[in-house]
Amino acid sequence: MRSLNETPADPALASAKPSPWRKGDARPLLSLVVPFYNEADVVEVFFGQVIPELERIADIRFEVLCVNDGSADATLDKLVAIAQQDPRVRVVDLTRNFGKEAALSAAIDEARGDLIVPFDADLQDPPSVIAALVEKWREGYDVVLARRRNRDADSALKKLTARWFYRMHNAVADLQIPENVGDFRLFTREVGEALKRLPECRRFMKGLFAWVGFRTAVVEYARAPRAAGESKFSGWKLWNFAVEGFTSFSTLPLRVWTYVGVAVAFFALCRAAWLVLRTLLYGVDVPGYASLATAILLLGGIQLIGIGVLGEYVGRIYLESKKRPVYLIRRRYEQRAANA
């Protein structure tokens, strides 16, 4: 069995590490970067489908960079076993579960390729589409998006909420996110370096991909069901993900409360003028307390909602001010250069 080079955590960027491929090979290197979290059931199926598809792409070298995002099952052991057999597979093990956005950031930082393709381990995105992305890149594009032609593999509720998210986000944010486009895409090393320059630790990668810009094309495809296992995104996690997207690229949720306050104040002035006029015309009566209690509860609820929205942004400022790293690496696994 070939030995692995187990490298302890190193803050240096991946670009500073030597490439395991022979020098003088002019073919571009494609880095397929894949976060894994408790995906032990799908590891063998994943490599059984992905490696042959990558080998079919002409005039391209490739590496598969796997980021183990603190898996609690046998995911890491299986990834390391495959890396022992194939020098084109590298494994980066994070110290704990940092979340998909952080794991994807780690994968982009560690990638050595001239082309970088983020990919999901569940194989809902067909590996055969990668060749189409490469062909589109050959036409001169810096970014090639993979857009889902349909979401038949998703439940009716997930399709509905996804449609709402994209439409609401693009309505309130200055930055437009392409609808039905996930993390699956191809981009050049230049785009990857631009992403590395973005300093925020709370990262909404769909928005960051759109923010950097560059010349972009689109390839459409049909999404498949998961190859194995279950989705790690619960309804609550998806809700928090959506909130992250809104607060990362729009201040409209803050500004809207100015307009709500103006509308409530205007209504209060109109109500006060009506009470004065009614008192002058009809005298003073003794009203009940139901309307008063309703008004107090309504205004109190509006104020609490406004404070909650403000709290979301203050919380982001608080976390960003700590300047903690997005992720920490425990160990890297790859074959020694002599075995490559």
Side-chain angles (χ1 to χ4, degrees):
M1 181 179 294
R2 296 177 179 177
S3 62
L4 283 185
N5 181 14
E6 296 188 16
T7 309
D10 187 342
L13 290 177
S15 57
K17 303 182 185 68
S19 172
W21 286 267
R22 66 183 185 273
K23 296 180 180 180
D25 194 336
R27 294 177 300 163
L29 174 64
L30 183 148
S31 293
L32 188 74
V33 297
V34 192
F36 283 82
Y37 176 60
N38 291 342
E39 296 286 3
D41 294 338
V42 81
V43 170
E44 288 87 354
V45 179
F46 173 83
F47 283 97
Q49 294 189 24
V50 166
I51 295 297
E53 291 293 342
L54 292 175
E55 290 175 338
R56 292 190 184 99
I57 303 176
D59 299 322
I60 287 287
R61 298 172 296 144
F62 69 87
E63 67 168 357
V64 181
L65 176 62
C66 307
V67 176
N68 179 48
D69 188 22
S71 297
D73 60 5
T75 298
L76 177 61
D77 294 336
K78 292 187 175 184
L79 292 175
V80 171
I82 292 173
Q84 287 179 329
Q85 304 300 322
D86 193 337
R88 299 168 298 185
V89 177
R90 295 194 291 127
V91 181
V92 174
D93 183 29
L94 302 186
T95 58
R96 64 171 178 85
N97 176 237
F98 287 89
K100 184 182 178 182
E101 306 299 282
L104 184 55
S105 297
I108 293 172
D109 290 346
E110 293 285 312
R112 297 169 177 164
D114 307 293
L115 306 174
I116 302 173
V117 178
F119 200 73
D120 288 341
D122 57 18
L123 292 176
Q124 285 193 275
D125 303 320
S128 58
V129 180
I130 299 173
L133 301 181
V134 172
E135 289 306 311
K136 203 68 177 177
W137 162 76
R138 295 186 198 277
E139 297 177 11
Y141 294 97
D142 302 299
V143 180
V144 185
L145 307 179
R147 182 164 60 199
R148 302 156 189 162
R149 190 179 299 112
N150 58 62
R151 304 183 71 107
D152 294 341
D154 296 334
S155 65
L157 179 61
K158 189 171 182 180
K159 287 189 284 189
L160 180 62
T161 53
R163 188 182 306 116
W164 286 352
F165 167 75
Y166 284 112
R167 292 182 180 178
M168 290 178 63
H169 182 280
N170 291 338
V172 304
D174 296 331
L175 182 73
Q176 302 294 295
I177 296 178
E179 190 169 351
N180 289 327
V181 174
D183 297 324
F184 182 31
R185 64 192 67 207
L186 178 148
F187 53 87
T188 62
R189 163 63 60 182
E190 184 181 10
V191 177
E193 294 298 327
L195 289 167
K196 292 178 187 179
R197 293 176 57 191
L198 304 181
E200 54 258 56
C201 65
R202 296 292 297 272
R203 302 174 73 80
F204 180 66
M205 294 304 296
K206 287 183 178 64
L208 297 183
F209 285 139
W211 188 89
V212 296
F214 290 89
R215 191 178 181 207
T216 303
V218 175
V219 169
E220 293 191 343
Y221 72 102
R223 207 169 193 227
R226 283 183 64 92
E230 298 178 353
S231 174
K232 307 306 181 296
F233 276 96
S234 64
W236 180 246
K237 287 184 178 179
L238 288 172
W239 167 257
N240 288 332
F241 184 69
V243 171
E244 192 76 25
F246 285 119
T247 56
S248 293
F249 289 94
S250 176
T251 57
L252 182 61
L254 285 174
R255 295 199 306 269
V256 73
W257 292 103
T258 300
Y259 305 117
V260 171
V262 170
V264 171
F266 178 76
F267 175 78
L269 289 174
C270 292
R271 174 69 174 171
W274 162 246
L275 290 175
V276 171
L277 181 62
R278 189 184 66 174
T279 301
L280 292 175
L281 294 176
Y282 302 106
V284 180
D285 58 357
V286 182
Y289 292 98
S291 59
L292 181 61
T294 300
I296 292 174
L297 291 174
L298 174 62
L299 291 176
I302 292 174
Q303 290 171 339
L304 289 175
I305 293 173
I307 292 172
V309 173
L310 181 62
E312 287 287 339
Y313 285 88
V314 172
R316 290 186 62 85
I317 296 170
Y318 170 67
L319 293 173
E320 294 289 346
S321 68
K322 294 182 178 182
K323 299 188 182 300
R324 291 175 178 169
V326 179
Y327 59 87
L328 294 174
I329 295 176
R330 187 182 72 88
R331 196 167 296 275
R332 299 178 178 90
Y333 300 86
E334 62 182 303
Q335 289 193 22
R336 299 181 187 276
N339 296 327

